Amino acid sequence: MLMCLLIIITAYPFIYVIFASFSDSNMLVSHTGLLFQPLGLQLDAYKMVFSNPNILSGYGNTLLIVIGGTVINLMFTSLGAYALSRKGLMLIRPLTIAIVFTMFFSGGLIPVYLLVYNGLNLGNTLWALVLPTAISTFNLIVMRTSFAAVPDSLIESSRIDGAGEFTILIKIVLPLSMPVIAVMILYYGVAHWNSWFSAMIYLRDRELYPLQLILREILIQNSVDSMTSAAGGSDDKFSIGESIKYATIVIATVPILLVYPFLQKYFAKGVMVGAIKE
């Protein structure tokens, strides 16, 4: 009973947003209290959102950042974790300490901005959103712990059979570490999907904006005029603007929720691996 109550309390805010997004905008503005069904079922808010070219271009940019960024994250994190998990690596302890140091101390926003914009010439490109965050130190340690659990005897047997380090990583270590790989996909993917601050400081061209930056303009800066120009008076624009905000939240949230069920069966085991750090 208590669990059901907690589920309802947790899920209701998102259910409210879904009902509000499908409601008649005038009825929604005049309504007070909880929503248990859409008020006058309408799709006008979704039609206006999808007619906004910024939403569509933002969706495309976000998908590109999530897919490309996650692939880069997995590639670099796997390589680093595999090297740190092998006992024969020279200076492994100082290297680990130096890497962990970066988890607690950084150069700060301005030095990082100058490095990305002037030093690496990545300013106003999507590369600026994925390359500086190619490796998360926390995720690197989690993956290293998982890789270290692969028996050394298996690695040595592979070497005796002529396998190189890349072959061992790709054909032996990664297939045996699927739970932690699934967790990394979820961690990195959700981080890229929700990221907006890096885009705000590095991007200048609006056609490069990810969806979350467009969403921020709509929700925080109340920038819905481009979608409500067809509405009549100021009251109509205000009411349809409220429906547009709810519809935009649903559009930005649903895709990442659809991914979770496919990774859920690996999630508990992968997180447990990350709970043990050496």
Side-chain angles (χ1 to χ4, degrees), residues 11-277:
Y12 183 74
F14 187 64
I15 295 173
Y16 180 95
V17 171
I18 293 176
F19 287 160
S21 69
F22 286 103
S23 297
D24 178 86
S25 56
N26 293 317
M27 295 174 66
L28 177 65
V29 171
S30 59
H31 177 78
T32 58
L34 301 176
L35 274 181
F36 296 101
Q37 63 180 0
L39 302 173
L41 185 62
Q42 282 192 0
L43 298 176
D44 291 350
Y46 286 94
K47 291 178 182 177
M48 291 187 179
V49 169
F50 282 113
S51 66
N52 185 344
N54 291 329
I55 294 290
L56 297 180
S57 65
Y59 235 115
N61 291 330
T62 295
L63 289 176
L64 184 62
I65 292 168
V66 170
I67 296 173
T70 304
V71 170
I72 291 174
N73 292 137
L74 289 178
M75 183 173 64
F76 283 96
T77 306
S78 299
L79 292 172
Y82 176 71
L84 293 176
S85 67
R86 294 305 100 199
K87 295 177 181 176
L89 180 69
M90 294 179 61
L91 303 174
I92 186 170
R93 188 172 180 81
L95 280 174
T96 304
I97 293 174
I99 291 171
V100 172
F101 183 83
T102 64
M103 191 164 62
F104 300 101
F105 303 97
S106 68
L109 176 61
I110 294 176
V112 173
Y113 175 84
L114 293 176
L115 174 65
V116 172
Y117 223 92
N118 299 332
L120 301 176
N121 291 320
L122 297 178
N124 203 30
T125 67
L126 294 182
W127 290 109
L129 309 185
V130 295
L131 287 183
T133 56
I135 296 179
S136 161
T137 307
F138 178 82
N139 292 342
L140 176 68
I141 295 172
V142 170
M143 189 173 278
R144 187 212 64 163
T145 305
S146 176
F147 286 179
V150 177
D152 290 334
S153 56
L154 185 60
I155 303 295
E156 291 301 323
S157 298
S158 304
R159 286 176 179 152
I160 292 173
D161 290 337
E165 298 299 332
F166 282 105
T167 302
I168 294 172
L169 172 62
I170 294 171
K171 293 189 176 181
I172 296 177
V173 176
L174 289 180
L176 292 175
S177 307
M178 288 310 296
V180 79
I181 298 295
V183 171
M184 291 298 109
I185 292 174
L186 193 62
Y187 281 177
Y188 280 125
V190 171
H192 284 303
W193 185 269
N194 291 329
S195 177
W196 61 271
F197 184 72
S198 298
M200 187 182 71
I201 63 175
Y202 293 133
L203 299 182
R204 298 291 179 269
D205 297 335
R206 287 187 62 83
E207 57 266 26
L208 296 177
Y209 280 10
L211 180 64
Q212 301 302 332
L213 200 54
I214 302 295
L215 180 65
R216 178 180 177 275
E217 290 183 348
I218 293 173
L219 295 179
I220 297 179
Q221 300 178 355
N222 205 28
S223 176
V224 295
D225 291 343
S226 61
M227 290 179 279
T228 59
S229 57
S234 58
D235 292 341
D236 292 337
K237 288 184 178 180
F238 173 76
S239 58
I240 192 64
E242 292 301 302
S243 296
I244 286 173
K245 291 178 182 178
Y246 288 116
T248 308
I249 293 172
V250 173
I251 291 169
T253 307
V254 167
I256 203 68
L257 291 179
L258 296 178
V259 173
Y260 181 75
F262 297 99
L263 303 175
Q264 189 272 338
K265 63 179 180 180
Y266 297 111
F267 191 72
K269 187 176 179 180
V271 170
M272 287 298 293
V273 170
I276 303 172
K277 302 178 182 62

